[in-house]
Amino acid sequence: MRQRLSSEPDRYRGRRRVPTPPRSRYAVVVTSAFVGAGVVALGAASNLPDNKAVDPDVLSSLSKGSSITTDALENRGDNAASRGENREANTQLSAEDAARDIYLLPLDDYEFTSAYGVRFGKLHAGIDLAAPDGTPYKAVHGGTVTAAGYSGGYGYMITIRQDDGTEMIYAHSRRVLVNKGDVVKAGQVIGEVGNTGYSYGTHLHLEVHVNGTPVDPITYLEQHGVSIKLQMESVYAALDAEAS
């Protein structure tokens, strides 16, 4: 082996040895994490029961849970439908209540000719509304027809009893268009204006009896939103007309 002389230039002089890069501590951490995760996964897998060995009670519980959920949904649907039916029933009841409270004018056009009170020494127990012969007149309020036909001084007349016992009498008719026992509604045409019985001119005679006693129809109807003198009907009548 040749001995290197001290005078021989060092061919390594001026060169630096490139060191091998140290292993990154981040790589070590990541590798450890993967290894650890694998160990945990293997351990968990070893503790999982075989699908074939699942407890039947667990499956039964799951099945029952599904059934309970389905039943709950069905019950919720039934409750919603029930609430809808209740709202509809309440609406119908409200409409029926409003219909029972409707009071209307008996004629669309008339002339108020005679008031309630003493006349010729006798009680004129109603009011007179003049209109042409044969003009249709309507029920002021709903109720049951208790009399319909000719009755002495009233001529052809109609009596309608309301649910509260109040009676309305329509007299001196040319003819009546309802029969005893009929149930009528407010605004229904029930007869025609005439001049029968003890009458002085063609008109509709209207009486109101409360508890069997005649009262002033003007005052009674005003309490129910109807003005004979101003020819105004109740607010319920306007609402009913809008609904229909």
Side-chain angles (χ1 to χ4, degrees):
M1 181 175 182
R2 186 171 61 89
Q3 185 177 4
R4 182 170 61 87
L5 297 178
S6 58
S7 60
E8 182 179 356
D10 189 353
R11 59 176 175 271
Y12 296 104
R13 185 176 300 170
R15 297 182 180 180
R16 290 188 305 169
R17 182 180 180 185
V18 180
T20 302
R23 180 177 297 175
S24 172
R25 62 174 176 270
Y26 297 106
V28 173
V29 171
V30 171
T31 303
S32 300
F34 276 112
V35 172
V39 171
V40 172
L42 289 175
S46 64
N47 291 327
L48 289 175
D50 192 325
N51 289 338
K52 297 180 181 179
V54 175
D55 191 340
D57 293 337
V58 175
L59 293 178
S60 177
S61 299
L62 293 175
S63 177
K64 290 180 180 178
S66 176
S67 176
I68 292 172
T69 303
T70 302
D71 291 342
L73 291 174
E74 290 178 352
N75 290 336
R76 185 168 63 181
D78 291 342
N79 291 336
S82 178
R83 288 194 296 270
E85 292 174 356
N86 289 337
R87 282 195 296 269
E88 183 178 356
N90 290 335
T91 302
Q92 291 175 352
L93 288 176
S94 299
E96 291 176 358
D97 291 340
R100 283 194 290 268
D101 287 335
I102 294 175
Y103 284 78
L104 304 173
L105 293 168
L107 291 162
D108 295 329
D109 189 21
Y110 58 85
E111 181 182 355
F112 178 75
T113 57
S114 185
Y116 173 91
V118 177
R119 188 177 66 176
F120 307 127
K122 296 179 62 176
L123 176 64
H124 182 240
I127 58 175
D128 293 341
L129 307 176
D133 187 58
T135 301
Y137 63 82
K138 302 170 289 187
V140 172
H141 191 68
T144 303
V145 177
T146 57
Y150 199 90
S151 179
Y154 283 115
Y156 286 103
M157 55 86 70
I158 300 169
T159 301
I160 297 178
R161 177 176 294 168
Q162 301 170 186
D163 291 342
D164 63 357
T166 300
E167 292 183 321
M168 289 195 182
I169 297 174
Y170 306 79
H172 306 312
S173 306
R174 177 181 179 177
R175 64 172 180 157
V176 298
L177 303 177
V178 291
N179 299 306
K180 183 178 179 179
D182 290 350
V183 176
V184 300
K185 296 181 179 180
Q188 179 178 333
V189 174
I190 57 176
E192 296 176 353
V193 173
N195 189 25
T196 59
Y198 300 150
S199 172
Y200 301 93
T202 304
H203 69 282
L204 172 66
H205 176 83
L206 177 66
E207 293 186 14
V208 177
H209 293 204
V210 177
N211 297 323
T213 303
V215 298
D216 187 350
I218 298 291
T219 303
Y220 177 85
L221 292 177
E222 283 179 348
Q223 294 172 351
H224 293 86
V226 176
S227 175
I228 291 292
K229 293 183 178 181
L230 297 178
Q231 298 192 19
M232 293 178 59
E233 295 178 332
S234 71
V235 65
Y236 291 108
L239 295 175
D240 184 63
E242 290 178 1
S244 58

